[in-house]
Amino acid sequence: MALRFFNTYSRTLEEFQPLDPEGKIVKMYTCGPTVYSRAHIGNFRAYIFEDLLQRHLEARGFNVNRVMNLTDVDDKTIRGSRAENLPLADFTAPFKEAFFQDLGTLEIKSPNEFPAATEDRYIAAMIAMISILIERGLAYQADDKSVYYRINRFPNYGHLAHFDLAELRSTGRVKSDEYDKEHVGDFALWKAWDEEDGDVAWESPWGRGRPGWHIECSAMATSLLGEQLDIHCGGVDNIFPHHEAEIAQSEGCSGKAPFVRYWLHCAHLLVEGEKMSKSLGNFLTLPDLLAKGYTGREVRFALLRVHYRAPLNFTWEGLAEARQALSRIDEWLRRLRETARLTSSPNESIERDNFAAALDDDLNISAALGELFEQLRVSNRELDESMKPERALAWLQWWEKINRVLALETSEEKVPPEIEQLVEKRKQARQARDWQRSDELRDNLRDLGWDVRDTKDGQVVTRRAGA
RNA sequence: GGCGGGGUAGCCAAGUGGUAAGGUCGGGGUCUGCAAAACCUCUAUUCGCGGGUUCGAUUCCCGCCCCCGCCUCCA
């Protein structure tokens, strides 16, 4: 089956075909975090979905050039820096750092570029774009000195979100500048400096000020990837106004459409059935989960296993399920490796491609995982009936291909000497058929965070999940 | 009010116009000194509700209900 994705723009499944004439390079832009606080697991659901997308494209032979921006200037970052009495850059730096750290913990591939909005070259690019928009009559400076996009002059405005301009109404969520704007829906490209901005300001042809939110993504995306992109992702809440504005700005400047060939949006995350919010006390960050003993891969699996367009209900029970499923994979790999140890010559291979085929269908991760677990059972059965080392090696190679996409494998933890000693003692007790002593030592080991099991080949010691 | 997404077993979740993958939990079994792991087996006459089309619908059409989100700076 051909690779296809659900394009928000057309609201249909479309076969994927990159712009690159060779059909090789994929230009992908993903909206990154606003660095005013630690990113929460809802944010990471989106980034993990994007990671899965990138990895699967790579598995299918594409060369993905991915950009993820960092929004390091906006109302919230400015507010935060003032509250802490820090220069803006000093306020945002630790959040950038924390973000990179979390990406690492979750095995999210680093994008090729991490442009930040405040970098000189992008501020310059934004100013250049705004100038062009003004020249073309697509933007204007209002009485409040800010520059706004004139949405009435961009006929396509509203297409992505399926919004009718006449029906846009203010939710009052944002300070209303309606008196200065020609249309309520006109959005800021350049915000004139005001007192609350403190020393956060750049010079521009329209006076001191700072960029509006939307323009940064247009500027960074087109600077790094060109005027037209293959894929642009984000959470569904970004469809409007953010991505709608990006289309208006980018196409308004380049005159080329479409700005983006495939828009992919991921649904939100709920926590225990409720929206995550600080007031509900269910606002979770990665360190919160790590502190409870969960690992990055367990969180990754819990966030990965639901299709990206379906809402994902994050629960503690779900994390426990993830842990259980992963330890099954670990045990399976341990057995395969043990069997494969006796050979190094792969002379057969497992030709089953259903995993990747499932992902071809708009990243159907559930079907893909279904296939993985089905084959896991098949191969476990083969192991039970004594498997040849070459066969085990073939299964391991099958897994490696899959794991390049899932990124769920951890390096095995070495058994420390003191644990080895207890295991040795237990071995002796068992040889003496001293079951009481044997069970005692097993309990000791468990308390120390190690599981020990008896198999026909002797004791098997593994690290306890969550220990 | 407008625009989306979703409602499938205790929980999570695929799926097809022809009779419900997979994960997890729980019951039974094989194995084991006991466990554990692995495997086998059982657990939805039924897919939010009501109509319609059809030989046949969870799947297509119509209407309704519920949940979540967006409607100007939230992934």
Side-chain angles (χ1 to χ4, degrees), chain A residues 35 43 58 75 86 93 173 272 403 406:
Chain A
V35 283
N43 300 121
E58 287 171 350
D75 290 353
L86 285 172
R173 210 170 65 174
E272 299 290 347
N403 191 52
L406 293 179

Side-chain angles (χ1 to χ4, degrees), chain A residues 9 17 40 52 67 70 74 109 116 131 155 162 238 250 293 327 345 351 369 374 406 437:
Chain A
Y9 195 81
Q17 192 66 53
H40 55 70
L52 176 67
V67 172
L70 299 168
D74 80 321
K109 272 192 125 166
S131 301
H162 289 199
N238 272 164
S250 307
S327 65
S345 55
E351 300 296 337
L369 290 173
E374 228 159 299
L406 293 179
R437 178 77 182 132

Side-chain angles (χ1 to χ4, degrees), chain A residues 49 53 65 83 88 124 142 166 213 263 335 347 372 396 430 441:
Chain A
F49 141 64
L53 174 59
N65 183 193
L88 184 64
W213 176 39
W263 286 97
R335 291 178 80 192
N347 54 12
L372 168 62
L396 284 168
R430 295 180 64 72
L441 286 162

Side-chain angles (χ1 to χ4, degrees), chain A residues 283-303:
Chain A
F283 188 93
L284 297 171
T285 66
L286 188 55
D288 292 336
L289 301 179
L290 299 179
K292 295 211 179 224
Y294 291 99
T295 59
R297 68 196 283 253
E298 288 168 343
V299 177
R300 178 178 170 90
F301 188 74
L303 295 177

